[in-house]
Amino acid sequence: MLTNEDRQAIRKLLDVKDYDPDTFNPEVLDQLEANEEYKSIIIKHGSDILGSYEYLRLKEFVQHGNVTVYEHCLHVALCAIKLGRALGVHCKERELVRGALLHDYFLYDWHNAESPGNLHPKLHGFYHPGIALRNATRDFVLSEREKDIIYKHMWPLTVSHLPRCREAWIVCLADKYSSVLETLKLRKGKIRVNYA
């Protein structure tokens, strides 16, 4: 159960004021990308993922606007670290980062109904967490917590898949926030940090 203090912290952290698509500069993502501490945490816990040939294929697929699935997963990991710390949630940071990096590891172009692997083109939002989990368990050794993060990140769309750990809740929220920024085209330009 969230306290009023938790709700205020979430509002403060996620507040985007005076949105004007022509003049708004999305400093939140820029600041996260420039944060050396967060970058080192992602590299420390996710270097095997980020260096994987299959994972690097995520650069081939667009997620939102001009943001690739690879960039989106990094944004979610960065936002999850910040959100967990801002709320004072004591997360297992390794699992938080790894689950965030793999949450959209579905490996197809979801915008193209004919794309190999896109088994449910009109229902991508409902089915991709299971596909991402299948791919991730095939390619990486995952903890139960990491599996929960990947499989349940689309809640409440996947209403029966309620997250069961705090890391999954944080990634679920970080995913929504990053997606909103990317979908509203608040993100101008590409990620400048090479994590591989």
Side-chain angles (χ1 to χ4, degrees):
M1 193 72 152
L2 292 176
T3 67
N4 283 337
E5 186 178 329
D6 292 336
R7 289 188 190 97
Q8 288 173 349
I10 291 169
R11 275 191 224 110
K12 182 179 178 184
L13 184 69
L14 303 182
D15 193 22
V16 178
K17 294 181 181 175
D18 304 320
Y19 169 63
D20 176 354
D22 296 323
T23 61
F24 187 82
N25 183 13
E27 294 176 4
V28 171
L29 291 177
D30 292 339
Q31 290 167 1
L32 288 173
E33 289 172 17
N35 188 310
E36 289 298 321
E37 181 186 4
Y38 292 1
K39 178 182 174 184
S40 69
I41 291 168
I42 288 175
I43 291 169
K44 176 182 175 185
H45 299 308
S47 61
D48 63 319
I49 295 169
L50 294 164
S52 158
Y53 170 78
E54 284 296 310
Y55 192 80
L56 292 174
R57 287 186 54 213
L58 296 181
K59 292 181 177 184
E60 301 171 14
F61 309 117
V62 172
Q63 181 73 328
H64 305 116
N66 67 344
V67 177
T68 66
V69 177
Y70 177 87
E71 292 168 320
H72 169 71
C73 289
L74 284 169
H75 291 157
V76 172
L78 291 164
C79 286
I81 293 167
K82 179 171 182 163
L83 186 58
R85 289 180 174 197
L87 295 175
V89 177
H90 299 290
C91 291
K92 294 186 182 286
E93 211 159 53
R94 175 181 166 79
E95 292 169 304
L96 178 77
V97 167
R98 294 175 68 82
L101 289 174
L102 292 168
H103 82 280
D104 277 345
Y105 189 58
F106 45 82
L107 299 171
Y108 60 81
D109 180 359
W110 69 270
H111 301 90
N112 179 357
E114 304 300 319
S115 180
N118 194 356
L119 304 176
H120 307 283
K122 294 185 178 182
L123 299 172
H124 168 78
F126 294 96
Y127 286 96
H128 82 270
I131 295 167
L133 179 59
R134 184 188 68 221
N135 292 339
T137 56
R138 177 193 68 211
D139 295 343
F140 305 100
V141 176
L142 301 176
S143 70
E144 289 305 311
R145 196 174 299 259
E146 290 162 347
K147 291 175 186 176
D148 195 61
I149 292 167
I150 297 165
Y151 190 60
K152 298 177 179 174
H153 78 272
M154 284 302 290
W155 186 87
L157 182 63
T158 54
V159 70
S160 64
H161 301 140
L162 186 69
R164 294 192 183 268
C165 64
R166 63 187 75 175
E167 293 81 3
W169 281 107
I170 295 291
V171 170
C172 185
L173 187 55
D175 180 46
K176 307 304 178 270
Y177 181 54
S178 297
S179 297
V180 167
L181 288 178
E182 295 161 1
T183 301
L184 293 178
K185 301 193 186 305
L186 296 179
R187 177 79 184 129
K188 297 178 181 175
K190 293 289 192 176
I191 197 162
R192 290 178 288 283
V193 177
N194 181 4
Y195 286 85

